[in-house]
Amino acid sequence: MTPTPARRPVGRPRGDGRPHLTRDEALLAAARLISAEGYTGASIRMIAQALGAAPASLFNLFPNKDALLNELVVYLAAPSLDFYARLTALALPPDVALFKSLFEEAALVASVDRTLPAIFYLPELQKPQFGPAQQARAALVAHYRRLIEAGLANGALQCDLPDLAAEQMLQMSETSVLAMLPASPQAQARASARFALRALLADPARLDAVEAQASRVDLTIL
């Protein structure tokens, strides 16, 4: 059998002699620049300069800047969506799964580069060309909506507008970006999850028991 030839790296060597540009490097550099300069202000040339690469290297990875932003949002959402799928497979009570989801999301946001979650709130993402990005964010909200609806159905949770509550749950998990508190990521995550569940539980006296059960779930966002 003829051996399969090794794939050539995508892009061109960078000016400083570092290895060829990877998609992960390009996406993370784009996230930081777009968060700082806005989508319009962060050009492909600026992103390439931050990477020590030629603009042509980025165009070898992404056909245009809109495609880059779509892929960036999908890329940033992927670890959470993978976590949601693994959590759903455990068939936990919806209130416990909701606490665990909020805790892990908030802990992640408080731990990572604070510019990254801000990408989800760019005003440009409302435009039609960003359908893949919109679908990725909608999938994040849908996870919370399913849990809230299941909790309403079994009487564990209460709320007036599940769609609104689902959006609020996702945004609550990201408030550490705005607050920029000195508290540890774990403390911020616990406070966020307890705040949300205290408002949604039909019997708030169950909060400690729900938290205790969620804390025993050995699962995290990778």
Side-chain angles (χ1 to χ4, degrees):
M1 180 180 293
T2 303
T4 302
R7 293 185 62 185
R8 296 178 61 189
V10 176
R12 302 177 182 179
R14 285 182 275 191
D16 58 6
R18 286 183 291 163
H20 286 72
L21 185 64
T22 68
R23 299 185 87 85
D24 285 6
E25 289 177 303
L27 290 169
L28 292 173
R32 296 184 180 105
L33 269 171
I34 291 171
S35 294
E37 305 293 337
Y39 181 66
T40 303
S43 67
I44 289 290
R45 182 173 296 278
M46 290 172 62
I47 298 169
Q49 286 175 344
L51 290 161
S57 294
L58 282 173
F59 285 120
N60 282 334
L61 294 171
F62 314 100
N64 52 55
K65 194 167 72 165
D66 286 356
L68 186 157
L69 182 57
N70 270 316
E71 187 167 333
L72 174 58
V73 174
V74 172
Y75 172 81
L76 294 176
S80 294
L81 293 174
D82 172 72
F83 168 75
Y84 296 162
R86 290 182 287 121
L87 187 69
T88 299
L90 298 179
L92 298 169
D95 49 358
V96 175
L98 182 58
F99 189 104
K100 181 67 174 177
S101 297
L102 286 164
F103 181 92
E104 294 298 332
E105 282 283 4
L108 176 68
V109 168
S111 301
V112 301
D113 187 330
R114 291 176 181 270
T115 64
L116 301 182
I119 294 296
F120 289 95
Y121 297 96
L122 290 170
E124 287 84 1
L125 290 178
Q126 302 302 316
K127 295 180 179 179
Q129 65 264 37
F130 296 113
Q134 294 164 13
Q135 291 169 14
R137 190 178 189 282
L140 297 174
V141 176
H143 169 74
Y144 288 98
R145 185 171 59 250
R146 285 193 295 270
L147 292 179
I148 290 168
E149 288 174 345
L152 292 172
N154 75 0
L157 303 178
Q158 59 179 1
C159 75
D160 295 324
L161 296 172
D163 287 343
L164 176 61
E167 178 68 37
Q168 290 171 330
M169 292 303 100
L170 179 63
Q171 292 192 30
M172 181 172 293
S173 71
E174 296 170 344
T175 52
S176 295
V177 174
L178 301 175
M180 298 185 70
L181 299 175
S184 72
Q186 298 295 309
Q188 293 182 57
R190 181 172 183 265
S192 296
R194 286 182 65 86
F195 181 84
L197 268 293
R198 189 178 288 112
L200 287 172
L201 283 170
D203 179 10
R206 294 185 56 251
L207 177 58
D208 288 344
V210 170
E211 179 182 1
Q213 189 171 349
S215 70
R216 293 193 292 269
V217 178
D218 186 17
L219 205 64
T220 191
I221 300 176
L222 301 177

